[in-house]
Amino acid sequence: MGNAVVVLTIAVAYLLIVLVIGGYAAARTLSSREDFLVASRSFGFIVLFMALFATNMTAVVMIGAPGFGYQAGVGTWGYFGTFFAFFMPLFLITVAHRIWLAGKAHGHVTPGQMLDHRLGSRYFGPLLAIIYTVWTIPYILIGVQGGGIAFQSLTQGLVPYWLGGLIISLVVLIYVFFGGMRATAWSNVFQGAIFIVFVPVIFIAIAYSLGGFGEATATTAAAKPHLLNRASVPPFQTLPWLSQGLLVALGGVIFPHMFIRYMTAESPKVLNKTAIAFPIAIAFLWFPGVMIGFWGAGQLQVDSPDFILPALTAALFPAWIMGLILAGILAAIMSSIDAQVLTLGTMFTEDILHKFRRVGERWQVVWTRIFIVLVVAATFVYSLLTTDTLIDTVTFAFSGYALTFFPSVLPLYWERFNKWGAYVGLLFGFVGLWAFQLGWIPESLTFGFYPVVPLLVVQLVLIVITVKLTPPAPQVQTEQYKELFSKVKW
Amino acid sequence: MFKNSFFYPDSLEKAILLVLILLMIPLRQSEIFGLMDSTALVFGWVPAQIAYDFLYVTAGTLLVVYIVAKHASRVPESIRELDRLEEREGNR
């Protein structure tokens, strides 16, 4: 019990710091829509980088990477993150520049707003908001679940699962409710700093405790040599490996919460700097995370792979380090949930409510806050009922996001693109993925890939055919965007 | 379709950079280098697969850093120009 109190004390200290940062940001947040939702597009390099990075890492780095490394071996990093690591920077210096420009020029704060304006459509934005919501809710849910489990296991039951989930939900709710985008981003700076520093340090400490890097690897290599390579792991075979690389790269850059954050940059130069720092930070986290899980496989047996990091540290280190582990896990989880919750609230208000009802600027912020409360409450209740696993849900949700890539990105490059191509692409991707998931389309039609790959190919063909056969987007908007994007010199 | 972007190179150097980026897709498949069932260790402790992944990300990062440094999109006088555009829209 004494150890559990130490762990809980450190976790509470972390949560209080986050609340103080959130409160400080809230005190500087104006009640205007532009300030609450996109912090008046004022973020410099450090804040934008940490906001994008911390939001993107989720619990996968602190829990999933060691967990999958423990279960499947050292191929984990290549499977999830290596292609994404530099596709993201490439995206930042190409597509994100245009997103930033369009947001700045026309005052957009959501993907749906921008695309509706560009395409001269009325219902594409709301449809996109609904589809994004479908893919984002399970993601938030995983965070709340992960927080509950982390609290319960690391405090040895002192904080039960339901209370852990409730604590995370309430803390996120408080700082997002009062501080909007600025509070989430400033909190992310602190949260990102925690795991950027913490993961490499714990990596070296674990290696040292196990007798050095060579000894730690040799122990696992002797006990479980199949974890040294990809040969015996089904998802690591050629076509699933290729599929996962593509779906993480395409899905990871087009998350709605990332899309909105591209618009918060102070200038495109900030996006360029972020593009350079992003892959370096990923390498510093994924490599140690996977190696910790790999080493753990030679030392311990755990019921759930996701808990190899806490189990290993509990076996090797004193309680205060366990407390830091819990703080790190909470930081990874909360830095994603806050952005996702704010994004859903923003999309509901801007893309659906404001679209069909005249709402004043002040009431837009009020409605965003109301929706944020509803989303947090709903996911907390759902977390008490669900038994879904993390990896399956993440892969499915990533596939869903990846299938919004072409309908969201092509309008920023292809002048002839129109709303019909966007509708067809979006609906085909959504329905197609569910059809594979529910078994309506036979698995043999994936040809060995994950379903997202054949779906992306057919989606692109359908979009091109539809656009060619239907009238172009209204001339006024097309010219406006052409003029706007002509400012980007490549 | 992709004119005035990285995906529509207008010089030999930019074309080479685009080809190199596209090459990174197949190069992620470590089986090309016979690493699918490798049990070799680099520096005596890093399994060959993850060592390759590290090398791959490093190469990709250097490529992107070069692209950003030499060829990243420029948005000239961005804020002033955009503010002018906003004013024009406001006057409509």
Side-chain angles (χ1 to χ4, degrees), chain A residues 74-75 77-83 85-86 89-90 93-95 97-98 100-101 103-107 117 203 213-214 217-218 221 225 228-232 236-239 241-246 266-268 272-273 275-276 279-280 283 286-287 290-291 294-295 410 413-415 464 476 480 483-490, chain B residues 1-10 14 17-18 20-32 35-41 43-69 71-79 81-89 92:
Chain A
V74 297
W77 184 27
Y79 180 65
F80 273 103
T82 50
F83 184 53
F86 66 91
L90 188 65
I93 61 171
T94 53
V95 184
H97 270 179
R98 294 184 175 220
W100 180 86
L101 262 175
K104 175 76 184 165
H106 301 293
H117 183 235
F203 165 69
F213 292 104
T217 296
L228 283 168
N229 54 51
R230 295 166 45 196
S232 60
F236 293 173
Q237 302 312 299
T238 297
L239 296 183
W241 181 272
L242 180 61
S243 304
Q244 185 77 5
L246 290 174
E266 191 180 40
S267 77
N272 290 353
K273 287 182 187 170
I276 292 173
I280 298 168
W286 271 90
F287 176 79
V290 172
M291 286 302 290
F294 170 74
W295 290 337
L410 286 178
Y413 274 96
W414 188 6
E415 280 174 32
V464 171
V476 177
Q480 267 184 358
E483 184 192 342
L484 184 66
F485 293 148
S486 69
K487 297 177 193 305
V488 182
K489 303 296 179 198
W490 182 262
Chain B
M1 184 191 295
F2 293 107
K3 245 180 181 172
N4 203 16
S5 84
F6 173 75
F7 307 102
Y8 194 98
D10 57 2
K14 290 177 184 176
L17 288 172
L18 178 59
L20 287 175
I21 284 287
L22 293 175
L23 260 180
M24 294 303 282
I25 297 174
L27 283 178
R28 180 170 157 274
Q29 305 291 129
S30 58
E31 56 269 44
I32 294 172
L35 295 178
M36 182 67 104
D37 54 2
S38 170
T39 54
L41 298 176
F43 305 126
W45 67 277
V46 186
Q49 172 62 46
I50 200 165
Y52 175 76
D53 292 332
F54 197 93
L55 189 70
Y56 173 83
V57 169
T58 305
T61 303
L62 290 175
L63 189 57
V64 169
V65 167
Y66 180 79
I67 292 169
V68 172
H71 297 294
S73 303
R74 306 276 184 259
V75 185
E77 302 175 61
S78 55
I79 303 299
E81 280 197 18
L82 288 170
D83 286 346
R84 279 206 295 274
L85 191 75
E86 278 172 0
E87 277 171 25
R88 276 218 308 273
E89 286 221 325
R92 271 177 198 166

Side-chain angles (χ1 to χ4, degrees), chain A residues 216-230:
Chain A
T217 296
T219 305
T220 303
K224 297 179 178 173
H226 62 283
L227 297 183
L228 283 168
N229 54 51
R230 295 166 45 196

Side-chain angles (χ1 to χ4, degrees), chain A residues 141-142 145 161 379-389 393:
Chain A
L141 177 71
I142 286 168
Q145 275 182 284
Y161 169 80
T379 46
F380 171 66
V381 171
Y382 192 20
S383 75
L384 301 178
L385 307 172
T386 184
T387 54
D388 286 351
T389 61
T393 308

Side-chain angles (χ1 to χ4, degrees), chain A residues 198-210 212-213 288 292 295 317:
Chain A
F198 175 75
V199 172
V201 169
I202 203 74
F203 165 69
I204 294 168
I206 286 175
Y208 182 77
S209 300
L210 294 176
F213 292 104
I292 288 171
W295 290 337
F317 301 120

